[in-house]
């Protein structure tokens, strides 16, 4: 069966309760089901700044619906979006003509899986970074704790003393700047 | 910038090439407002391809993408600020 691929993006008022946003989404997915459309992906982009004001709002909540359907689905979606009060703007874009439904659904599933894998990889990398940073901080703390012992053994006493004064100096400088900032406020 | 307009030649400036032809991985996408902003003036007008260097095919795609992004307020029609 050959369908068209569409993407409908609608923008809702920024001052809605979660249930109101969910109600709109539910209504949309109901229409997709009723008209035998196949949903590819629903993506909530969330609250964004609008490039220009719409009905006096400068922010809006974006939702994108990608689906495969015949033209009647678009008509029905848009008829509903027009009468829904929370929706301040909507637009449907035709993405492709004569789409092979099964093939496209499989492609989308593969894309979702890839994105999920990338997200997991990013999280893993972030966790590793944090672990490394913590390990570094621990190592530094241990080095500081070990420093007086080095001085006590008499090895390079001048450098140890110099480092001590340096740290004191920088700490004092830090105090100065913070007090200045407070005064400015 | 300074353009050499003498004798109708555009001087010895480097010939601009289409970014989308150079980088095949780069796709024109109306969702990507940050990328499309590159093809708008400060006032929000579409930069002609003689300036941007886009080829005809990709300029058509860029123009369509900008118009789509404008419809859903991802890009301005005009920008009165600045
Ligand atoms: Zn090109």
């Amino acid at each position: 069966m050959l369908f068209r691929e569409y993407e409908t993006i609608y923008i809702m008022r920024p001052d809605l309760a979660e249930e109101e946003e969910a109600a709109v989404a539910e209504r949309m997915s109901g229409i997709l089901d009723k008209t035998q459309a196949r949903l590819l992906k629903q993506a909530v982009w969330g609250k964004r700044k609008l490039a220009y004001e719409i009905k006096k709002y400068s922010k809006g909540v974006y939702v994108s619906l990608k689906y495969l359907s015949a033209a009647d689905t678009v008509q029905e979606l848009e008829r509903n979006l027009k009468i829904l009060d929370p929706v301040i703007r909507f637009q449907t874009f035709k993405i492709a003509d004569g789409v092979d439904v099964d093939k496209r659904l499989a492609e989308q599933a593969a894309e979702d899986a890839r994105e999920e894998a990338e997200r997991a990889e990013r999280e893993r990398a972030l966790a590793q970074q944090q672990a490394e940073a913590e390990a570094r901080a621990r190592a530094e703390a241990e080095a500081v704790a070990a420093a007086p012992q080095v001085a006590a053994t008499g090895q390079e006493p001048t450098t140890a003393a110099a480092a001590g004064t340096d740290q004191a100096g920088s700490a004092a400088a830090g105090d100065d700047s913070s007090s200045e900032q407070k005064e400015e406020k | 910038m300074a353009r050499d307009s003498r004798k109708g030649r555009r001087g010895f400036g480097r010939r601009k090439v289409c970014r989308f032809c150079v980088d095949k991985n780069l796709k024109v996408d109306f969702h990507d407002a940050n990328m499309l902003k590159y093809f708008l003036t400060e006032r929000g007008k579409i930069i002609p391809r003689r300036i941007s260097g886009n080829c005809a095919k990709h300029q058509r795609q860029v123009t369509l993408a900008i118009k789509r992004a404008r419809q859903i307020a991802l890009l301005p029609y005009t920008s009165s600020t600045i």
Side-chain angles (χ1 to χ4, degrees):
Chain A
M1 194 183 190
L2 291 181
F3 267 173
R4 282 180 177 165
E5 178 174 343
Y6 294 102
E7 176 168 5
T8 296
I9 295 174
Y10 60 90
I11 307 172
M12 293 181 288
R13 286 180 355 223
D15 52 4
L16 295 174
E18 250 174 64
E19 309 91 72
E20 291 175 288
E21 290 179 12
V24 175
E26 216 164 279
R27 187 147 165 186
M28 294 299 108
S29 61
I31 294 164
L32 291 181
D33 285 345
K34 202 176 65 193
T35 58
Q36 271 111 52
R38 302 296 298 272
L39 179 70
L40 286 173
K41 187 163 206 161
Q42 181 191 325
V44 180
W45 302 353
K47 203 176 285 183
R48 289 196 176 196
K49 200 176 176 323
L50 303 172
Y52 48 86
E53 283 189 4
I54 300 174
K55 296 185 180 171
K56 305 279 180 196
Y57 292 105
S58 58
K59 282 183 182 171
V61 178
Y62 282 75
V63 178
S64 149
L65 286 172
K66 287 185 185 175
Y67 52 94
L68 307 172
S69 77
D72 59 334
T73 301
V74 180
Q75 270 180 14
E76 188 60 8
L77 279 178
E78 298 212 323
R79 191 182 66 78
N80 279 268
L81 286 167
K82 210 179 283 178
I83 55 178
L84 280 167
D85 176 62
V87 177
I88 56 174
R89 173 66 55 95
F90 60 89
Q91 191 72 46
T92 300
F93 306 104
K94 192 177 82 180
I95 307 296
D97 247 328
V99 179
D100 182 330
V101 172
D102 291 332
K103 194 170 153 220
R104 185 65 187 87
L105 284 171
E107 270 173 21
Q108 185 66 42
E111 197 185 310
D112 290 348
R114 202 182 57 235
E115 276 175 14
E116 174 57 26
E118 279 172 9
R119 196 191 56 75
E121 170 59 23
R122 265 198 308 277
E123 262 177 26
R124 198 197 57 74
L126 192 71
Q128 191 183 338
Q129 254 175 28
Q130 277 171 351
E132 278 170 12
E134 273 167 30
R136 243 195 329 273
R138 236 188 343 265
E140 270 167 30
E142 279 166 18
V144 169
Q149 291 171 3
V150 175
T153 55
Q155 287 175 335
E156 299 174 303
T158 47
T159 42
T165 49
D166 265 356
Q167 273 173 0
S170 61
D175 285 343
D176 280 348
S177 61
S178 64
S179 62
E180 274 168 29
Q181 277 171 353
K182 274 173 200 155
E183 279 164 27
E184 276 171 30
K185 280 173 196 166
Chain B
M1 312 318 150
R3 270 261 170 104
D4 190 356
S5 58
R6 283 170 295 173
K7 290 182 184 175
R9 296 284 304 178
R10 243 152 287 128
F12 36 82
R14 187 169 48 87
R15 183 89 183 86
K16 287 200 170 180
V17 288
C18 175
R19 311 170 74 202
F20 299 101
C21 286
V22 171
D23 184 355
K24 298 289 181 194
N25 292 323
L26 209 60
K27 288 272 183 292
V28 182
D29 179 6
F30 74 90
H31 301 91
D32 192 351
N34 278 333
M35 187 264 282
L36 293 172
K37 264 182 202 158
Y38 183 86
F39 300 103
L40 292 180
T41 65
E42 296 99 331
R43 287 194 157 272
K45 293 170 73 174
I46 298 174
I47 293 173
R49 69 189 193 88
R50 92 186 120 79
I51 312 286
S52 70
N54 282 344
C55 71
K57 175 184 150 194
H58 286 117
Q59 181 71 8
R60 272 199 304 280
Q61 293 180 1
V62 166
T63 304
L64 176 65
I66 289 173
K67 287 177 177 175
R68 287 182 159 188
R70 280 173 174 169
Q71 288 177 307
I72 48 168
L74 293 178
L75 288 177
Y77 284 98
T78 55
S79 171
S80 47
T81 52
I82 304 178

